[in-house]
mmCIF file of all heavy atoms in Angstrom:
data_model
loop_
_atom_site.group_PDB
_atom_site.id
_atom_site.type_symbol
_atom_site.label_atom_id
_atom_site.label_comp_id
_atom_site.label_asym_id
_atom_site.label_seq_id
_atom_site.Cartn_x
_atom_site.Cartn_y
_atom_site.Cartn_z
ATOM 1 N N ASN A 1 79.345 97.851 102.022
ATOM 2 C CA ASN A 1 78.553 97.214 102.984
ATOM 3 C C ASN A 1 79.275 96.858 104.250
ATOM 4 O O ASN A 1 80.449 96.474 104.241
ATOM 5 C CB ASN A 1 78.029 95.841 102.269
ATOM 6 C CG ASN A 1 77.182 96.035 101.178
ATOM 7 O OD1 ASN A 1 76.451 97.070 101.011
ATOM 8 N ND2 ASN A 1 77.040 95.026 100.218
ATOM 9 N N GLY A 2 78.678 97.140 105.363
ATOM 10 C CA GLY A 2 79.329 96.872 106.790
ATOM 11 C C GLY A 2 80.194 97.882 107.276
ATOM 12 O O GLY A 2 80.759 97.803 108.288
ATOM 13 N N ARG A 3 80.317 99.115 106.506
ATOM 14 C CA ARG A 3 81.242 100.085 106.879
ATOM 15 C C ARG A 3 80.866 100.680 108.277
ATOM 16 O O ARG A 3 79.763 101.105 108.385
ATOM 17 C CB ARG A 3 81.469 101.178 105.934
ATOM 18 C CG ARG A 3 82.424 102.276 106.138
ATOM 19 C CD ARG A 3 82.479 103.266 105.128
ATOM 20 N NE ARG A 3 83.483 102.956 104.066
ATOM 21 C CZ ARG A 3 83.523 103.230 102.843
ATOM 22 N NH1 ARG A 3 82.453 104.010 102.292
ATOM 23 N NH2 ARG A 3 84.394 102.969 101.996
ATOM 24 N N ARG A 4 81.870 100.692 109.249
ATOM 25 C CA ARG A 4 81.592 101.435 110.436
ATOM 26 C C ARG A 4 82.168 102.790 110.304
ATOM 27 O O ARG A 4 82.596 103.239 109.301
ATOM 28 C CB ARG A 4 82.363 100.765 111.601
ATOM 29 C CG ARG A 4 81.687 99.536 112.241
ATOM 30 C CD ARG A 4 81.806 98.296 111.367
ATOM 31 N NE ARG A 4 81.530 97.073 112.120
ATOM 32 C CZ ARG A 4 81.046 95.962 111.637
ATOM 33 N NH1 ARG A 4 80.705 95.903 110.301
ATOM 34 N NH2 ARG A 4 80.845 94.948 112.203
ATOM 35 N N THR A 5 81.933 103.594 111.326
ATOM 36 C CA THR A 5 82.665 104.993 111.516
ATOM 37 C C THR A 5 84.119 104.698 111.639
ATOM 38 O O THR A 5 84.965 105.038 110.757
ATOM 39 C CB THR A 5 82.047 105.892 112.570
ATOM 40 O OG1 THR A 5 82.035 105.203 113.819
ATOM 41 C CG2 THR A 5 80.621 106.156 112.152
ATOM 42 N N VAL A 6 84.514 104.231 112.839
ATOM 43 C CA VAL A 6 85.956 104.191 113.177
ATOM 44 C C VAL A 6 86.366 102.882 113.745
ATOM 45 O O VAL A 6 87.412 102.571 114.157
ATOM 46 C CB VAL A 6 86.326 105.321 114.142
ATOM 47 C CG1 VAL A 6 86.223 106.584 113.584
ATOM 48 C CG2 VAL A 6 85.512 105.137 115.482
ATOM 49 N N TRP A 7 85.464 101.816 113.563
ATOM 50 C CA TRP A 7 85.847 100.429 114.177
ATOM 51 C C TRP A 7 85.982 99.425 113.116
ATOM 52 O O TRP A 7 85.513 99.581 111.940
ATOM 53 C CB TRP A 7 84.711 100.114 115.123
ATOM 54 C CG TRP A 7 84.727 100.907 116.380
ATOM 55 C CD1 TRP A 7 85.668 100.863 117.454
ATOM 56 C CD2 TRP A 7 83.866 101.955 116.706
ATOM 57 N NE1 TRP A 7 85.362 101.872 118.369
ATOM 58 C CE2 TRP A 7 84.268 102.558 117.925
ATOM 59 C CE3 TRP A 7 82.778 102.560 116.000
ATOM 60 C CZ2 TRP A 7 83.491 103.636 118.487
ATOM 61 C CZ3 TRP A 7 82.125 103.537 116.674
ATOM 62 C CH2 TRP A 7 82.440 104.087 117.895
ATOM 63 N N GLU A 8 86.757 98.379 113.421
ATOM 64 C CA GLU A 8 86.920 97.247 112.524
ATOM 65 C C GLU A 8 85.801 96.189 112.567
ATOM 66 O O GLU A 8 85.187 96.116 113.741
ATOM 67 C CB GLU A 8 88.237 96.488 112.848
ATOM 68 C CG GLU A 8 89.435 97.445 112.741
ATOM 69 C CD GLU A 8 89.910 97.666 111.134
ATOM 70 O OE1 GLU A 8 89.297 97.114 110.356
ATOM 71 O OE2 GLU A 8 90.668 98.585 111.018
ATOM 72 N N ASP A 9 85.473 95.537 111.579
ATOM 73 C CA ASP A 9 84.674 94.366 111.550
ATOM 74 C C ASP A 9 85.556 93.249 111.926
ATOM 75 O O ASP A 9 86.517 92.923 111.295
ATOM 76 C CB ASP A 9 83.920 94.114 110.214
ATOM 77 C CG ASP A 9 82.968 92.950 110.303
ATOM 78 O OD1 ASP A 9 83.169 91.956 110.939
ATOM 79 O OD2 ASP A 9 81.979 93.104 109.530
ATOM 80 N N PRO A 10 85.308 92.475 113.118
ATOM 81 C CA PRO A 10 86.199 91.330 113.305
ATOM 82 C C PRO A 10 86.084 90.177 112.297
ATOM 83 O O PRO A 10 87.068 89.321 112.437
ATOM 84 C CB PRO A 10 85.638 90.816 114.762
ATOM 85 C CG PRO A 10 84.219 91.224 114.724
ATOM 86 C CD PRO A 10 84.134 92.571 113.944
ATOM 87 N N TYR A 11 85.116 90.183 111.506
ATOM 88 C CA TYR A 11 84.921 89.093 110.523
ATOM 89 C C TYR A 11 85.426 89.487 109.046
ATOM 90 O O TYR A 11 85.606 88.555 108.242
ATOM 91 C CB TYR A 11 83.576 88.443 110.593
ATOM 92 C CG TYR A 11 83.134 88.131 112.032
ATOM 93 C CD1 TYR A 11 82.080 88.929 112.667
ATOM 94 C CD2 TYR A 11 83.853 87.225 112.734
ATOM 95 C CE1 TYR A 11 81.698 88.451 113.874
ATOM 96 C CE2 TYR A 11 83.458 86.863 114.057
ATOM 97 C CZ TYR A 11 82.498 87.580 114.705
ATOM 98 O OH TYR A 11 82.099 87.338 115.872
ATOM 99 N N LYS A 12 85.283 90.800 108.680
ATOM 100 C CA LYS A 12 85.408 91.154 107.442
ATOM 101 C C LYS A 12 86.458 92.323 107.417
ATOM 102 O O LYS A 12 86.266 93.397 108.240
ATOM 103 C CB LYS A 12 84.212 91.708 106.716
ATOM 104 C CG LYS A 12 83.238 90.563 106.351
ATOM 105 C CD LYS A 12 82.053 91.027 105.624
ATOM 106 C CE LYS A 12 81.166 90.049 105.210
ATOM 107 N NZ LYS A 12 79.965 90.608 104.411
ATOM 108 N N PRO A 13 87.599 92.242 106.628
ATOM 109 C CA PRO A 13 88.609 93.459 106.662
ATOM 110 C C PRO A 13 88.029 94.656 105.929
ATOM 111 O O PRO A 13 87.143 94.615 105.123
ATOM 112 C CB PRO A 13 89.764 92.782 106.000
ATOM 113 C CG PRO A 13 89.228 91.813 105.074
ATOM 114 C CD PRO A 13 87.921 91.295 105.699
ATOM 115 N N GLY A 14 88.609 95.777 106.327
ATOM 116 C CA GLY A 14 88.426 97.083 105.566
ATOM 117 C C GLY A 14 87.125 97.789 105.684
ATOM 118 O O GLY A 14 86.809 98.564 105.035
ATOM 119 N N ARG A 15 86.462 97.507 106.970
ATOM 120 C CA ARG A 15 85.203 98.161 107.299
ATOM 121 C C ARG A 15 85.418 99.427 108.190
ATOM 122 O O ARG A 15 84.352 99.944 108.667
ATOM 123 C CB ARG A 15 84.235 97.097 107.771
ATOM 124 C CG ARG A 15 83.344 96.490 106.879
ATOM 125 C CD ARG A 15 84.033 95.779 105.742
ATOM 126 N NE ARG A 15 83.127 95.222 104.865
ATOM 127 C CZ ARG A 15 83.466 94.469 103.706
ATOM 128 N NH1 ARG A 15 84.759 94.259 103.484
ATOM 129 N NH2 ARG A 15 82.559 94.054 102.972
ATOM 130 N N ASN A 16 86.603 99.744 108.575
ATOM 131 C CA ASN A 16 86.812 100.927 109.346
ATOM 132 C C ASN A 16 86.864 102.144 108.395
ATOM 133 O O ASN A 16 87.567 102.309 107.548
ATOM 134 C CB ASN A 16 88.171 100.778 110.054
ATOM 135 C CG ASN A 16 88.544 101.935 110.899
ATOM 136 O OD1 ASN A 16 87.918 102.983 110.750
ATOM 137 N ND2 ASN A 16 89.371 101.773 111.984
ATOM 138 N N GLY A 17 85.777 102.936 108.515
ATOM 139 C CA GLY A 17 85.596 104.023 107.620
ATOM 140 C C GLY A 17 86.636 105.089 107.785
ATOM 141 O O GLY A 17 86.791 105.941 106.829
ATOM 142 N N LEU A 18 87.405 105.151 108.754
ATOM 143 C CA LEU A 18 88.476 106.148 108.843
ATOM 144 C C LEU A 18 89.688 105.771 108.090
ATOM 145 O O LEU A 18 90.501 106.661 107.548
ATOM 146 C CB LEU A 18 88.836 106.293 110.308
ATOM 147 C CG LEU A 18 89.544 107.588 110.829
ATOM 148 C CD1 LEU A 18 88.746 108.808 110.370
ATOM 149 C CD2 LEU A 18 89.749 107.584 112.292
ATOM 150 N N VAL A 19 89.989 104.434 107.857
ATOM 151 C CA VAL A 19 91.110 104.034 107.183
ATOM 152 C C VAL A 19 91.078 104.340 105.738
ATOM 153 O O VAL A 19 90.184 103.939 104.991
ATOM 154 C CB VAL A 19 91.378 102.518 107.383
ATOM 155 C CG1 VAL A 19 92.596 102.051 106.624
ATOM 156 C CG2 VAL A 19 91.585 102.261 108.860
ATOM 157 N N GLY A 20 91.997 105.141 105.195
ATOM 158 C CA GLY A 20 92.125 105.325 103.785
ATOM 159 C C GLY A 20 91.201 106.549 103.287
ATOM 160 O O GLY A 20 91.084 106.910 102.216
ATOM 161 N N LEU A 21 90.471 107.135 104.230
ATOM 162 C CA LEU A 21 89.492 108.154 103.812
ATOM 163 C C LEU A 21 90.093 109.330 103.220
ATOM 164 O O LEU A 21 89.705 109.883 102.226
ATOM 165 C CB LEU A 21 88.570 108.575 104.994
ATOM 166 C CG LEU A 21 87.700 109.726 104.820
ATOM 167 C CD1 LEU A 21 86.707 109.524 103.646
ATOM 168 C CD2 LEU A 21 86.792 109.938 106.073
ATOM 169 N N GLU A 22 91.151 109.808 103.772
ATOM 170 C CA GLU A 22 91.845 111.043 103.324
ATOM 171 C C GLU A 22 92.326 110.819 101.980
ATOM 172 O O GLU A 22 92.218 111.783 101.123
ATOM 173 C CB GLU A 22 93.046 111.444 104.264
ATOM 174 C CG GLU A 22 92.494 111.808 105.714
ATOM 175 C CD GLU A 22 93.609 112.049 106.648
ATOM 176 O OE1 GLU A 22 94.579 112.808 106.243
ATOM 177 O OE2 GLU A 22 93.519 111.479 107.770
ATOM 178 N N GLN A 23 92.750 109.706 101.607
ATOM 179 C CA GLN A 23 93.180 109.275 100.134
ATOM 180 C C GLN A 23 92.016 109.253 99.328
ATOM 181 O O GLN A 23 92.156 109.617 98.117
ATOM 182 C CB GLN A 23 93.959 108.030 100.263
ATOM 183 C CG GLN A 23 95.333 108.040 100.962
ATOM 184 C CD GLN A 23 95.332 108.196 102.453
ATOM 185 O OE1 GLN A 23 94.471 107.645 103.043
ATOM 186 N NE2 GLN A 23 96.144 109.044 102.844
ATOM 187 N N ARG A 24 90.843 108.909 99.775
ATOM 188 C CA ARG A 24 89.616 108.899 98.950
ATOM 189 C C ARG A 24 89.239 110.267 98.543
ATOM 190 O O ARG A 24 88.846 110.525 97.401
ATOM 191 C CB ARG A 24 88.458 108.243 99.600
ATOM 192 C CG ARG A 24 88.640 106.827 100.002
ATOM 193 C CD ARG A 24 89.238 105.822 99.081
ATOM 194 N NE ARG A 24 88.322 105.772 97.819
ATOM 195 C CZ ARG A 24 88.881 105.423 96.585
ATOM 196 N NH1 ARG A 24 90.092 105.144 96.395
ATOM 197 N NH2 ARG A 24 87.962 105.437 95.627
ATOM 198 N N ILE A 25 89.405 111.301 99.441
ATOM 199 C CA ILE A 25 89.163 112.539 99.213
ATOM 200 C C ILE A 25 90.230 113.176 98.119
ATOM 201 O O ILE A 25 89.820 113.843 97.181
ATOM 202 C CB ILE A 25 89.208 113.425 100.427
ATOM 203 C CG1 ILE A 25 88.192 113.018 101.532
ATOM 204 C CG2 ILE A 25 89.106 114.850 100.073
ATOM 205 C CD1 ILE A 25 86.760 113.069 100.992
ATOM 206 N N GLU A 26 91.390 112.737 98.365
ATOM 207 C CA GLU A 26 92.567 113.142 97.404
ATOM 208 C C GLU A 26 92.162 112.632 95.961
ATOM 209 O O GLU A 26 92.442 113.292 94.976
ATOM 210 C CB GLU A 26 93.732 112.708 97.947
ATOM 211 C CG GLU A 26 95.074 113.150 97.067
ATOM 212 C CD GLU A 26 96.313 112.714 97.688
ATOM 213 O OE1 GLU A 26 96.403 111.855 98.610
ATOM 214 O OE2 GLU A 26 97.375 113.205 97.254
ATOM 215 N N VAL A 27 91.936 111.410 95.921
ATOM 216 C CA VAL A 27 91.691 110.603 94.620
ATOM 217 C C VAL A 27 90.430 111.253 93.812
ATOM 218 O O VAL A 27 90.666 111.508 92.586
ATOM 219 C CB VAL A 27 91.286 109.115 94.924
ATOM 220 C CG1 VAL A 27 90.614 108.594 93.652
ATOM 221 C CG2 VAL A 27 92.531 108.294 95.240
ATOM 222 N N ASN A 28 89.483 111.764 94.614
ATOM 223 C CA ASN A 28 88.210 112.276 93.864
ATOM 224 C C ASN A 28 88.268 113.790 93.756
ATOM 225 O O ASN A 28 87.178 114.322 93.200
ATOM 226 C CB ASN A 28 87.012 111.716 94.435
ATOM 227 C CG ASN A 28 86.873 110.202 94.308
ATOM 228 O OD1 ASN A 28 86.738 109.772 93.268
ATOM 229 N ND2 ASN A 28 86.947 109.426 95.459
ATOM 230 N N SER A 29 89.228 114.487 94.262
ATOM 231 C CA SER A 29 89.233 116.052 94.213
ATOM 232 C C SER A 29 89.296 116.364 92.754
ATOM 233 O O SER A 29 89.908 115.638 91.916
ATOM 234 C CB SER A 29 90.301 116.475 95.072
ATOM 235 O OG SER A 29 90.044 116.326 96.410
ATOM 236 N N PRO A 30 88.913 117.620 92.414
ATOM 237 C CA PRO A 30 88.064 118.499 93.339
ATOM 238 C C PRO A 30 86.732 118.141 93.645
ATOM 239 O O PRO A 30 86.044 117.717 92.660
ATOM 240 C CB PRO A 30 88.113 119.951 92.629
ATOM 241 C CG PRO A 30 88.172 119.465 91.043
ATOM 242 C CD PRO A 30 88.919 118.225 91.059
ATOM 243 N N LEU A 31 86.246 118.327 94.843
ATOM 244 C CA LEU A 31 84.911 117.871 95.300
ATOM 245 C C LEU A 31 84.218 119.199 95.830
ATOM 246 O O LEU A 31 84.802 119.985 96.453
ATOM 247 C CB LEU A 31 84.956 116.890 96.484
ATOM 248 C CG LEU A 31 85.527 115.466 96.156
ATOM 249 C CD1 LEU A 31 85.836 114.694 97.381
ATOM 250 C CD2 LEU A 31 84.439 114.824 95.275
ATOM 251 N N SER A 32 82.994 119.268 95.406
ATOM 252 C CA SER A 32 82.150 120.392 95.907
ATOM 253 C C SER A 32 81.530 120.084 97.318
ATOM 254 O O SER A 32 81.364 120.972 98.175
ATOM 255 C CB SER A 32 81.027 120.779 94.952
ATOM 256 O OG SER A 32 81.534 121.143 93.795
ATOM 257 N N LEU A 33 81.258 118.751 97.537
ATOM 258 C CA LEU A 33 80.490 118.371 98.655
ATOM 259 C C LEU A 33 80.915 116.893 99.065
ATOM 260 O O LEU A 33 81.075 116.083 98.092
ATOM 261 C CB LEU A 33 79.017 118.583 98.453
ATOM 262 C CG LEU A 33 78.083 117.997 99.550
ATOM 263 C CD1 LEU A 33 78.098 118.818 100.772
ATOM 264 C CD2 LEU A 33 76.612 118.007 99.073
ATOM 265 N N VAL A 34 80.957 116.545 100.174
ATOM 266 C CA VAL A 34 81.041 115.120 100.708
ATOM 267 C C VAL A 34 79.843 114.826 101.510
ATOM 268 O O VAL A 34 79.407 115.565 102.484
ATOM 269 C CB VAL A 34 82.217 114.845 101.464
ATOM 270 C CG1 VAL A 34 82.332 113.328 102.014
ATOM 271 C CG2 VAL A 34 83.440 115.132 100.647
#
């Protein structure tokens, strides 16, 4: 909830969608599709 593409939410941490994304791909691999 509240996730942006590349920006932070000034009131809630962790809403910048770019932060940690590469690790999410690594965690869930192998993936056929995102």
Side-chain angles (χ1 to χ4, degrees):
N1 294 339
R3 180 179 276 154
R4 279 78 163 151
T5 54
V6 298
W7 291 284
E8 300 288 348
D9 183 326
Y11 308 117
K12 291 183 178 180
R15 266 58 185 180
N16 182 334
L18 201 55
V19 175
L21 172 54
E22 293 172 53
Q23 288 70 43
R24 302 311 301 161
I25 300 301
E26 186 178 10
V27 163
N28 291 295
S29 290
L31 293 166
S32 298
L33 178 67
V34 179

